[in-house]
């Protein structure tokens, strides 16, 4: 094994260890199984609009979770929505794994607090590159802003969150110049964000054990 310094004083084993979260949480499979066990109950407890397309590819879909019964849309275009704040969640999985359906349990925290929840699906690396993943997430945010009133949400109270790779994607959403993507998109489209355990320093990622899967380019 190569024990020469590879990145900021870390050798290969040390750098790999910093990015190997599954090794740090050996019970991770049981944790995710517990999340999955809640899925059917979540679908029964809340109003849902599942597999809504926000882009041209099959992977570009999102799920909307609302209180039951769902709030009515405003009577006429341009009327004040009085709608719910919206949290758009971007899932993790090192950009190459997981699916929006793995995160249905999040509705149990958001909906009773008065917020609508959007869970975004996106194409996974390496079937697409990271730039395309970011583009798809931006498209999901734009779709949510443009269609919020239709599901009782308030487009002027749109927030974004995500964990791990989704934390990185959350940061990318918050640094986006939105008017460049559409004349109808305000610069402050996102009112706040929460990036949980995000992977923000991508420079060492091509050097770690995950590179064989991710196939990132410098």
């Amino acid at each position: 094994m190569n024990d020469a310094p590879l990145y900021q004083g870390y050798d290969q084993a040390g750098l790999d260890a910093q990015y190997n979260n599954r090794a740090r949480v050996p019970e991770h499979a049981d944790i995710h199984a517990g999340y999955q066990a809640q899925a059917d109950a979540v679908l029964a407890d809340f109003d849902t609009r599942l597999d809504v397309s926000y882009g041209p590819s099959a992977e570009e879909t999102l799920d909307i979770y609302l209180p039951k019964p769902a709030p009515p849309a405003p009577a006429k275009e341009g009327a004040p929505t009085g709608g719910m704040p919206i949290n758009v969640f971007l899932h993790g999985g090192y950009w190459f794994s997981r699916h929006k359906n793995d995160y249905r349990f999040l509705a149990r925290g958001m909906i009773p607090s008065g917020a609508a929840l959007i869970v975004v699906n996106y194409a996974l690396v390496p079937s697409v590159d990271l730039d395309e993943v970011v583009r798809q997430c931006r498209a999901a945010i734009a779709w949510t802003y443009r269609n919020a009133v239709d599901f009782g949400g308030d487009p002027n109270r749109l927030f974004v969150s995500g964990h791990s790779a989704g934390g990185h994607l959350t940061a990318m959403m918050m640094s986006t110049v939105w008017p460049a993507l559409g004349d109808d998109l305000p610069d402050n489209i996102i009112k706040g964000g929460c990036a949980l355990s995000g992977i923000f320093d991508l420079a060492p990622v091509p050097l770690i054990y995950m590179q064989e899967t991710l196939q990132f380019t410098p």
Side-chain angles (χ1 to χ4, degrees), residues 195-216:
L196 304 170
S197 300
I199 306 173
F200 304 117
D201 184 1
L202 302 189
V205 173
L207 305 176
I208 65 172
Y209 72 103
M210 289 298 302
Q211 173 63 3
E212 183 176 353
T213 298
L214 298 175
Q215 300 177 27
F216 281 2

Side-chain angles (χ1 to χ4, degrees), residues 75-195:
K76 60 181 180 179
E77 185 176 355
T81 70
M84 298 173 291
I86 305 163
N87 183 77
V88 178
F89 182 80
L90 305 172
H91 73 78
Y94 250 126
W95 305 283
F96 83 95
S97 68
R98 300 298 174 191
H99 188 276
K100 64 177 174 57
N101 294 357
D102 297 331
Y103 296 92
R104 288 175 171 159
F105 70 94
L106 293 173
R108 293 203 178 280
M110 289 290 173
I111 308 307
S113 298
L117 173 66
I118 308 287
V119 182
V120 175
N121 207 61
Y122 51 82
L124 300 174
V125 170
S127 65
V128 298
D129 62 21
L130 191 54
D131 286 342
E132 173 61 11
V133 173
V134 171
R135 185 205 65 77
Q136 291 184 15
C137 291
R138 286 171 173 158
I141 296 287
W143 184 96
T144 301
Y145 177 80
R146 290 166 174 154
N147 293 276
V149 172
D150 293 340
F151 58 81
D154 184 347
N156 296 312
R157 292 193 291 166
L158 194 158
F159 301 83
V160 63
S161 63
H163 88 285
S164 191
H168 160 261
L169 295 171
T170 295
M172 294 299 292
M173 298 305 101
M174 296 183 71
S175 61
T176 296
V177 181
W178 292 99
L181 304 181
D183 292 340
D184 61 326
L185 302 177
D187 188 53
N188 66 341
I189 186 173
I190 295 173
K191 297 303 189 289
C194 182

Side-chain angles (χ1 to χ4, degrees), residues 15-114:
L15 189 61
D16 285 347
Q18 293 300 311
Y19 285 83
N20 191 347
N21 289 329
R22 291 186 176 184
R24 293 172 181 266
V25 187
E27 68 274 23
H28 64 87
D30 292 336
I31 293 172
H32 280 283
Y35 295 157
Q36 288 298 301
Q38 301 180 46
D40 289 344
V42 167
L43 294 179
D45 289 346
F46 302 106
D47 186 77
T48 59
R49 303 181 189 184
L50 305 179
D51 301 318
V52 178
S53 175
Y54 67 83
S57 70
E59 294 86 357
E60 291 173 80
T61 60
L62 55 81
D63 291 343
I64 305 171
Y65 297 87
L66 304 165
K68 186 182 284 189
K76 60 181 180 179
E77 185 176 355
T81 70
M84 298 173 291
I86 305 163
N87 183 77
V88 178
F89 182 80
L90 305 172
H91 73 78
Y94 250 126
W95 305 283
F96 83 95
S97 68
R98 300 298 174 191
H99 188 276
K100 64 177 174 57
N101 294 357
D102 297 331
Y103 296 92
R104 288 175 171 159
F105 70 94
L106 293 173
R108 293 203 178 280
M110 289 290 173
I111 308 307
S113 298

